[in-house]
């Protein structure tokens, strides 16, 4: 099983600042099969990024994904008020499909 | 518009059973693999089960294997999760999610249904 470790657990930032979220895998993820989701309280997760760096339909370009192998990053270039939420990475290179434990981006 | 709507959650005693449903609309569900993912309130996401488009290939997480059964009725555009021998640790919000055609990520999620085992 591929274990995903996200850091930091919580990121305290102000609107307009840049957010950098990390997702590290316990083994190399083939074909960059990694996605990022955003989840707000009481809502289902929403797909942001797939294949490590491709933005999903309708996702603003302030969200970007990068990385390969075992180290992946989600960057939010300038935080908007609606971006404060929990973010999860997920790998789909192998079964079982696994998620990171999440990074909460909170307003400082 | 793609929609996934779960139902069937509720309060059940340990050892009991529950069947969740996920009604799909806005797309031809028979063309997609579907998954169940659960989330203990306040905690992270955990994959539970997957079924391919015609129901011939099924996978389960070890934690539910032998107790849960995933199935689908493509004529009704509905996905199911039969949960037997429920335990307190099965308490969670259960989401159905559509696997994208291009890869194993989830491009659409339902709103979730809460299962409480107590």
């Amino acid at each position: 099983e591929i274990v995903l470790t996200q850091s930091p657990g919580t990121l305290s930032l102000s609107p307009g600042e840049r957010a950098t979220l990390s997702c590290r895998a316990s083994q190399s993820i083939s074909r960059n099969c990694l996605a990022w989701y955003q989840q707000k309280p009481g809502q289902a997760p929403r797909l942001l990024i797939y294949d490590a760096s491709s933005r999903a339909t309708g996702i603003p370009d302030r969200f970007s994904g990068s990385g390969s192998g075992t180290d992946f990053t989600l960057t939010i270039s300038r935080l908007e008020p609606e971006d404060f939420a929990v973010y999860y990475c997920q790998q789909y290179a192998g079964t079982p499909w696994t998620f990171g434990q999440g990074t909460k981006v909170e307003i400082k | 518009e793609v929609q996934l709507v779960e139902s069937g959650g509720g309060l059940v005693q340990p050892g009991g059973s529950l069947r969740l449903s996920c009604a799909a609309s806005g797309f031809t569900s028979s063309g997609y693999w579907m998954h169940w993912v659960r989330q203990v309130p306040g905690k992270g996401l955990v994959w539970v089960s997957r079924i391919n488009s015609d129901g011939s290939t099924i996978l389960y997480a070890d934690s539910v294997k032998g107790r849960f059964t995933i199935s689908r009725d493509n004529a009704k555009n509905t996905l199911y999760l039969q949960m037997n021998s429920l335990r307190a640790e099965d308490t969670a919000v259960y989401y159905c999610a559509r696997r994208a055609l291009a890869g194993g990520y989830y491009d659409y999620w339902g709103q979730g249904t809460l299962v409480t085992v107590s």
Side-chain angles (χ1 to χ4, degrees), chain A residues 35 37 39 43-47 50-51 88 90 92 95-97 99-101, chain B residues 35 37 39 43-47 50 59 95 103-107 109-111:
Chain A
Y37 301 88
Q39 187 178 35
Q43 296 185 16
R46 176 176 74 143
L47 176 67
Y50 63 93
D51 293 347
Y88 294 95
Q90 177 229 348
Y92 45 96
T95 56
W97 293 266
F99 295 85
Q101 82 279 17
Chain B
H35 292 236
V37 176
Q39 183 175 38
K43 303 296 183 181
L45 300 161
V46 177
W47 171 77
R50 183 222 80 189
L59 291 174
Y95 296 100
Y105 53 92
Y106 307 121
D107 56 358
W109 298 66
Q111 85 288 350

Side-chain angles (χ1 to χ4, degrees), chain B residues 26-49:
Chain B
F27 68 103
T28 305
S29 62
S30 59
Y32 289 82
W33 295 16
M34 298 294 294
H35 292 236
W36 288 99
V37 176
R38 68 185 181 184
Q39 183 175 38
V40 174
K43 303 296 183 181
L45 300 161
V46 177
W47 171 77
V48 172
S49 183

